[in-house]
Amino acid sequence: MALDTAALRRFLSSVHPYDALPEEALSGLLPAFRVQNMAAGEDIYRLGDPLEGLYLIHSGSVAVRDQNAVQISQLGPRNSFGERGLGRDGIAATSARTLEDTVLLVLPKSDFLRLVETQPEAAKFFDRSRSPRPKRPDLATSPVETLMARDPLTCGPSATVRDAAKAMAERHVSSICITDGGVLRGIATIRDLSGKVVAGALPYDTPIAQVMTPDPLSLPPSAIGSDVLHIMMERRIGHVPVCTGQTLVGIVTQTDLTRFQATSSAELVSEIAHASDAQEMARVTARIPQLLVQLVGTGNRHEVVTRLITDIADTATRRLLALAEKRLGPPPVPYLWLACGSQGRQEQTGVSDQDNCLMLDDRYSEEDAPYFKALAQFVCDGLNTCGYVYCPGDMMATSPRWRQPVSIWKTYFKGWISKPSPEAQMLASVMFDLRPIGGTASLFENLQDQTLALAAKNSIFVAHMLSNSLKHTPPLGLLRGFATIRNGEHKNTLDLKHNGVVPVVDLGRIYALQAQLNAVNTRARLEAAQAAGVLSASGGRDLLDAYDLIAETRLEHQAAQIRAGEAPNNYLAPSSLSDFERSHLRDAFVVVKSLQAAAGHGKAMLS
């Protein structure tokens, strides 16, 4: 394939950072690019080869593999690769091979280096090592709203299957969403038409409502691409509607997805979702440490890494619930399994125990107790087998206290809020991080909103919660040093969990209470607090940057331990950091301490 100057300009103008270059700079760059046509299965370069320059994919796809031949990314059109080697010694630290017929644009090394030296926007984009939160266009980090088709095919519930099939054929799509006034009511696919209409010999004037899957699983536009992939793998579906509230705004199908860095986590999700017992699941979850190393090593942001790792725990929990029901029979009343703690916040790392509870429909009676006791024991035992060890504080559904009807849970929250004792504050802190995992989600919806409203109105309770949250302080010492652990097994280290991440988690929870925010994830809470005005724009930016640095330092520490053959933990020796790293980490702790002080004085809105 040949590209003339006009076609090359049009293409580069649609790719960042070239779209941000001054016209003169872009024009001067055009003659430097060389077009390289490659067949499927060809090596672009191998590990240790000298790199010709920067590679930009015009069409086709490329697999990049690390030194162990493990695929770390699958790149498509408009993706660049090879820049890291060019910034060092010009030697490839990875290998790259085409997966299909591919057209590459090659920018020679000298021209690439001149570009990043003279154009700040290009330097910022390609020198990702300078950024604490690298941004790459991949599935794991891409919001669903950037992946979805924004004009999904729809029809009303009364439309016939013939009309639906004709519309699908005309649009060349494999599904149709059934809506009523914009509200999603169901979805029908080619499989439904062939399996239910044709195979079932139904009349072609049958209403589509009789064939559709009612109330299908959907995601909000704010979800990420890996959420879609994981759902597809777990549920064996190929179409996921995207809704704002109940209103259909788009759809994502398997053909919309390119499996980038989330592929390995999706494989784990798929294997767990179809495992026959906890032992089989445990063989899969044993690969989580290596997944963490891969995700951290390829530059994923901390909230993406923890989200993907938590997805695996969620899938294991749902699979265990399904296996429990298969063994025990259908539940006597509806139930909802919820996670709290780091799983509830979608912030699991390489070190996680289990924190969970059961909410039961108010039709529950003591005759149903043996069933749910057995279900809780089966699931918690299975999670322990999978490496999610029993909670030391017994915050699990196996405890009768945390296995109660919704009415009792309402009593719990009301009591904690009206009488904020130290135990109540601790329990409320845990329970405000609840997130539904499996079962009847509607059991929790009203409870969450009612509890947030009740808590926000009780200034004494919020004050007690704030006071309790300030007990976790950043490890700042005198004379610009760190306050390390003084004795014991972890002497001279920093606890990056309790003195690093937890203070920010606590602040995020307080902001969520003050503004009645439904978000549970810490970063989502901080962003929502900014939007709600509980946290100012400047204070929010500082706190988010500080949180990112602390959380990423924690993950990098755990990944380094795993690579060294050690069990990961949260204890970091400052001596293992460079002067530059120590300085920035201390600055991050200072920001958190400042926000704690502002919150403690009733000034959460920093200016």
Side-chain angles (χ1 to χ4, degrees), residues 25-93:
L26 180 60
S27 297
L29 197 62
L30 295 177
F33 276 99
R34 174 173 58 83
V35 178
Q36 183 172 329
N37 295 284
M38 304 192 72
E42 279 193 69
D43 287 325
I44 301 168
Y45 57 76
R46 297 181 181 181
L47 181 70
D49 284 350
L51 290 170
E52 296 180 42
L54 175 76
Y55 295 88
L56 172 62
I57 302 173
H58 181 274
S59 62
S61 62
V62 172
V64 178
R65 293 179 170 84
D66 66 12
Q67 60 268 32
N68 298 312
V70 175
Q71 183 171 318
I72 57 176
S73 61
Q74 180 175 323
L75 306 176
R78 293 179 172 78
N79 276 210
S80 299
F81 58 100
E83 70 268 26
R84 290 187 182 276
L86 295 176
R88 296 193 305 273
D89 52 10
I91 301 299

Side-chain angles (χ1 to χ4, degrees), residues 312-340:
I312 297 169
D314 290 355
T315 305
T317 304
R318 284 191 289 268
R319 183 57 181 158
L320 288 166
L321 287 169
L323 292 173
E325 288 190 23
K326 184 176 180 181
R327 170 181 291 191
L328 301 172
V333 297
Y335 72 86
L336 178 62
W337 187 282
L338 302 101
C340 45

Side-chain angles (χ1 to χ4, degrees), residues 422-435:
E423 184 192 32
Q425 296 165 36
M426 183 274 292
L427 293 175
S429 295
V430 173
M431 293 300 174
F432 275 118
D433 293 347
L434 286 174
R435 183 171 60 87

Side-chain angles (χ1 to χ4, degrees), residues 466 469-470 472 474 476 503-504 506-508 510-511 514 526 529-530 534-547 587-607:
L466 177 58
S469 71
L470 298 180
H472 296 110
L476 292 169
V504 186
D506 289 342
L507 281 172
I510 293 300
Y511 299 148
Q514 291 174 332
L526 298 179
Q530 269 187 295
V534 177
L535 185 61
S536 73
S538 59
R541 284 194 300 270
D542 287 346
L543 185 55
L544 283 166
D545 286 346
Y547 178 52
D587 289 344
F589 289 145
V590 169
V591 169
V592 177
K593 184 68 175 178
S594 299
L595 266 293
Q596 284 187 324
H601 288 90
K603 299 177 181 177
M605 291 183 64
L606 281 187
S607 59

Side-chain angles (χ1 to χ4, degrees), residues 265-572:
S265 60
E267 289 171 353
L268 267 62
V269 164
S270 180
E271 291 178 37
I272 290 172
H274 306 109
S276 59
D277 54 35
Q279 287 71 31
E280 186 178 342
M281 281 186 261
R283 290 191 286 272
V284 181
T285 56
R287 287 148 52 192
I288 290 177
Q290 191 55 47
L291 172 65
L292 185 146
V293 170
Q294 178 180 329
L295 292 171
V296 172
T298 51
N300 285 282
R301 300 178 300 197
H302 70 91
E303 70 268 28
V304 173
V305 176
T306 56
R307 177 81 163 264
L308 298 181
I309 290 176
T310 304
D311 281 352
I312 297 169
D314 290 355
T315 305
T317 304
R318 284 191 289 268
R319 183 57 181 158
L320 288 166
L321 287 169
L323 292 173
E325 288 190 23
K326 184 176 180 181
R327 170 181 291 191
L328 301 172
V333 297
Y335 72 86
L336 178 62
W337 187 282
L338 302 101
C340 45
S342 60
Q343 185 183 359
R345 297 189 305 273
Q346 296 181 298
E347 294 167 3
Q348 287 190 317
T349 66
V351 187
S352 297
D353 59 5
Q354 56 176 290
D355 298 284
N356 47 61
C357 65
L358 262 177
M359 288 185 180
L360 309 172
D361 189 277
D362 281 333
R363 288 171 288 177
Y364 168 86
S365 68
E366 285 305 313
E367 294 178 358
D368 305 323
Y371 179 95
F372 289 109
K373 178 180 179 181
L375 181 139
Q377 196 67 57
F378 182 92
V379 175
C380 289
D381 287 348
L383 289 172
N384 185 69
T385 298
C386 291
Y388 304 101
V389 298
Y390 298 121
C391 174
D394 201 29
M395 185 70 69
M396 297 183 295
T398 47
S399 169
R401 187 180 187 185
W402 310 126
R403 191 175 66 245
Q404 294 290 337
V406 172
S407 58
I408 299 298
W409 281 100
K410 290 181 179 179
T411 302
Y412 284 166
F413 279 103
K414 186 175 181 180
W416 295 334
I417 293 169
S418 61
K419 298 178 181 178
S421 65
E423 184 192 32
Q425 296 165 36
M426 183 274 292
L427 293 175
S429 295
V430 173
M431 293 300 174
F432 275 118
D433 293 347
L434 286 174
R435 183 171 60 87
I437 303 297
T440 305
S442 59
L443 294 177
F444 181 62
E445 290 173 356
N446 292 334
L447 177 59
Q448 183 184 36
D449 293 338
Q450 292 170 7
T451 303
L452 281 171
L454 187 65
K457 292 176 183 177
N458 191 321
S459 57
I460 296 177
F461 172 76
V462 175
H464 278 280
M465 285 284 290
L466 177 58
S467 176
N468 187 58
S469 71
L470 298 180
K471 293 178 181 177
H472 296 110
T473 58
L476 292 169
L478 299 175
L479 302 177
R480 293 193 58 78
F482 292 112
T484 58
I485 298 173
R486 291 186 148 186
N487 47 53
E489 178 186 0
H490 303 295
K491 183 179 179 181
N492 297 327
T493 66
L494 304 173
D495 185 342
L496 290 179
K497 177 181 178 180
H498 292 100
N499 299 114
V501 170
V502 169
V504 186
V505 170
D506 289 342
L507 281 172
R509 190 182 299 113
I510 293 300
Y511 299 148
L513 284 176
Q514 291 174 332
Q516 299 183 49
L517 305 173
N518 288 322
V520 176
N521 174 266
T522 297
R523 203 171 200 288
R525 280 173 166 169
L526 298 179
E527 291 173 342
Q530 269 187 295
V534 177
L535 185 61
S536 73
S538 59
R541 284 194 300 270
D542 287 346
L543 185 55
L544 283 166
D545 286 346
Y547 178 52
D548 290 342
L549 180 60
I550 296 167
E552 287 170 6
T553 300
R554 180 191 184 197
L555 285 178
E556 288 165 359
H557 164 67
Q558 292 186 2
Q561 289 180 304
I562 295 167
R563 286 195 297 268
E566 304 170 3
N569 62 33
N570 295 299
Y571 300 99
L572 172 71

